[in-house]
Amino acid sequence: MRGCPDTNRTGPADAARTTGTAALTAGAAARTTGAPPAAGAVRTARTADTAGRAGAAEPARPGHRGPRRPAEFRYLLGRALPFLVLVAAPLADVLTAPEERFDRFLVAAPALAAVTRGVRGTLVVGALAMGTTALLALDRGDRLLPALLAGQTVLAVVTLAAALSSQARRRREVELRRVSEVAEAAQRAVLRPLPRRVGDVGLRLLYEASAAGAHVGGDFYKALKVRGGVRIMLGDVQGKGLAAVEAASLLLGSFREAAYTASGLPAIAERLEASMARYAERAPESTAADRFATVLLAEIPDDEPVVRLLSCGHPAPVVQRGAVVRTVELSSPSVPVHLPVPVDAPFTVDEVPFAPGDRMLMFTDGVSETRDRHGAFYPLERRMRDWAAEPADRIPGLLQEDLARFGARGLDDDTTAVLVVRGGAGEESRPSHEDHLVSA
C-alpha cells in the first residue's frame, strides 16, 4: 500500500506529458450482432454551449466538418454513375466505327447501381442495360443467336448478382444502425453528460471520441457534490476497444462509491487501485484487467479558496486567474492506476489557489499531445490566455475547433477537456435553477 499524502503548494511550470491514450469504436454491441463498427461514422462531441435539457451539458457539433461535403458529393456521384454509363456507352457505340463495341461497358451499370441503390433500383438499371444492348444489336443488324443472347445472358447474371449484393449491403446497413443505437445507449450509461453546475462549481465539457463510428472513447470523467465540497475525476485508459470501455466503467464505478466516503484524494486513488486489482484477480481472462489508466483527481472545498490535485500519471491542469494563465506544476505525480510495475510511494496532493471566478481546465493528452505538421505540440496555455475574456460556455467549442485546425491530422485521438469554474465572480457565479443538479 502507499503511504500518507504529502501536501505541497506549487508554482507555475509545464506538466509532464504521459502515455496511456485510448480509443474505442462504437462496436460496444458487436458481441451480440457480430457487426464491425460503421466506418466513417461521425464522431461525437460534447460541449456545454446550451443550458437546456434539465441543465446537463448538451452535445454540440462544430459548424462544419471538412469531410462531410465531399462524402455527400461522392454518394451523389455514385448514384448517378449507372445512368452516366447507360448514356455514355450507347452514345460512344453509335458515334464510333462498328467494330468498336462500347456496348460491352453496359455490364458495369448494374454493378455500380448495387453500391448505392436497393434491389429494385439495381434490377431497373440492369433491365435498362439489357434493353439498351438489344436496341444497339438490332441497330447493327446482329443476329439473335449467338451474340445477342450471350450478351443478354451475361447482363442478366451480373444484374442478379448485383441485386443480391445490394440486398446484403442494405441488411448490413440496418444491422450497423442498430449497433450505433446500442453504442449510444452505452455512452449514456458509461459517460453521462456533466451537469452545468455542481454545488458552487460550474462545469463545461468537451468530449470527442476519435475512432470512426465511436460514441465512447477511452477517456472518462465524473463530477460529484460531496459533503464539504466537489470532487472531480478525469482519466484516460490505455489502449482501444471494448476493453478500454470496460476498464473506464470500473474506474467510474469505483470513484462514485469512494468519492462520498473517502477521507481525501489519496484514499480515492487507493480505492481505484484496489478496484482494478480485484477485477484482475476475479477475471484474469479479461483484456480490461491488463489495462492501466492515467487519472487526475480534483477536490474543491466549499470553505477554502483552493483546489487540491492528485495526478496518477495524468497531465497537469491549466489554471486561469483573471488574465493570468499557468500550468500547474505537480510536485510528485504518481504512476498510472494499475500500472504493472511495483511502486511503494505515497500519493502526493498539491494544493493550488482557486478563488471565486477562477477557472481550471482539466484535459487528456488528446489535447496536450496534438501536434501540427511541423511536430510542435499544441500551445494550450497560450490559447487559454487568448481566451481569458471569453465566456465559459464558449471555451469547449473554441478549443475543439482550434485543435482540429492545428492538428496535422485533425483530432486523431480521444479529446476530453473539462473547464471548471469556481462561482462567486460575475456571470460565472449567478444563481441558477441547475444548482441542485449533481452527477449521479
Side-chain angles (χ1 to χ4, degrees):
M1 296 295 291
R2 300 174 187 263
C4 298
D6 177 21
T7 303
N8 302 283
R9 296 186 180 273
T10 62
D14 293 330
R17 304 182 187 278
T18 61
T19 59
T21 60
L24 76 118
T25 64
R31 289 174 176 169
T32 302
T33 62
V42 178
R43 298 181 296 178
T44 55
R46 291 186 179 274
T47 63
D49 289 335
T50 308
R53 295 190 186 179
E58 290 298 323
R61 306 289 192 267
H64 168 62
R65 303 290 271 176
R68 185 175 181 180
R69 286 184 179 175
E72 291 176 351
F73 173 76
R74 288 193 296 269
Y75 176 74
L76 293 175
L77 180 62
R79 290 184 65 84
L81 273 177
F83 296 98
L84 292 176
V85 172
L86 288 174
V87 172
L91 186 61
D93 193 80
V94 169
L95 297 178
T96 57
E99 59 270 15
E100 302 291 340
R101 297 292 300 276
F102 286 93
D103 61 325
R104 293 189 177 97
F105 288 99
L106 289 169
V107 74
L112 291 171
V115 176
T116 57
R117 297 183 178 275
V119 174
R120 183 178 300 175
T122 302
L123 291 174
V124 168
V125 170
L128 290 174
M130 293 176 68
T132 304
T133 301
L135 290 175
L136 290 173
L138 293 175
D139 182 65
R140 287 193 301 268
D142 290 348
R143 299 173 61 182
L144 178 62
L145 292 174
L148 179 59
L149 183 59
Q152 295 291 72
T153 302
V154 170
L155 266 173
V157 171
V158 171
T159 299
L160 289 175
L164 291 174
S165 175
S166 175
Q167 184 181 40
R169 177 183 56 81
R170 286 295 180 92
R171 189 183 302 115
R172 189 72 160 184
E173 288 174 352
V174 171
E175 187 174 308
L176 290 178
R177 277 198 297 270
R178 291 172 181 166
V179 169
S180 180
E181 292 172 359
V182 173
E184 291 176 0
Q187 179 183 20
R188 291 191 294 270
V190 176
L191 288 178
R192 300 180 184 179
L194 284 176
R196 288 174 59 84
R197 180 173 290 276
V198 176
D200 196 34
V201 174
L203 300 170
R204 303 295 183 269
L205 172 68
L206 163 64
Y207 177 84
E208 180 161 334
S210 65
H215 295 265
V216 187
D219 295 351
F220 56 93
Y221 52 84
K222 198 67 184 174
L224 296 169
K225 179 68 178 77
V226 300
R227 183 179 300 176
V230 174
R231 286 175 172 171
I232 305 170
M233 177 176 70
L234 179 66
D236 180 2
V237 177
Q238 168 226 3
K240 304 180 180 182
L242 293 171
V245 171
E246 191 174 354
S249 66
L250 286 169
L251 292 168
L252 285 167
S254 180
F255 177 76
R256 288 188 191 103
E257 293 298 321
Y260 291 108
T261 58
S263 58
L265 299 183
I268 296 176
E270 289 176 355
R271 294 276 285 275
L272 297 178
E273 287 275 9
S275 295
M276 292 298 292
R278 282 197 303 268
Y279 184 76
E281 294 175 358
R282 188 172 68 251
E285 73 285 353
S286 171
T287 53
D290 298 329
R291 304 300 174 100
F292 65 84
T294 64
V295 174
L296 179 64
L297 297 173
E299 181 180 71
I300 305 173
D302 292 335
D303 55 355
E304 296 180 67
V306 298
V307 57
R308 301 185 184 109
L309 301 168
L310 188 157
S311 172
C312 295
H314 200 84
V318 173
V319 173
Q320 174 194 337
R321 304 196 71 188
V324 178
V325 177
R326 67 182 179 89
T327 301
V328 176
E329 183 180 1
L330 299 173
S331 56
S332 182
S334 301
V335 298
V337 175
H338 200 52
L339 189 71
V341 175
V343 177
D344 187 14
F347 288 110
T348 301
V349 175
D350 293 289
E351 193 171 276
V352 178
F354 195 58
D358 291 352
R359 296 176 178 179
M360 177 177 67
L361 186 73
M362 304 168 66
F363 53 89
T364 61
D365 56 10
V367 175
S368 60
E369 295 189 358
T370 295
R371 295 174 183 254
D372 64 11
R373 57 190 178 92
H374 303 294
F377 286 107
Y378 182 71
L380 177 61
E381 190 173 311
R382 188 194 316 161
R383 292 294 196 271
M384 291 300 294
R385 193 176 294 115
D386 294 339
W387 300 332
E390 295 287 348
D393 285 349
R394 292 202 61 203
I395 299 301
L398 289 171
L399 179 60
Q400 182 188 35
E401 293 170 4
D402 196 51
L403 282 168
R405 285 193 300 267
F406 182 87
R409 294 176 294 177
L411 295 175
D412 61 348
D413 193 5
D414 290 346
T415 304
T416 304
V418 177
L419 183 68
V420 182
V421 184
R422 184 134 201 188
E427 65 178 68
E428 310 300 354
S429 64
R430 289 200 301 264
S432 168
H433 69 281
E434 302 156 359
D435 288 354
H436 69 284
L437 291 172
V438 296
S439 182

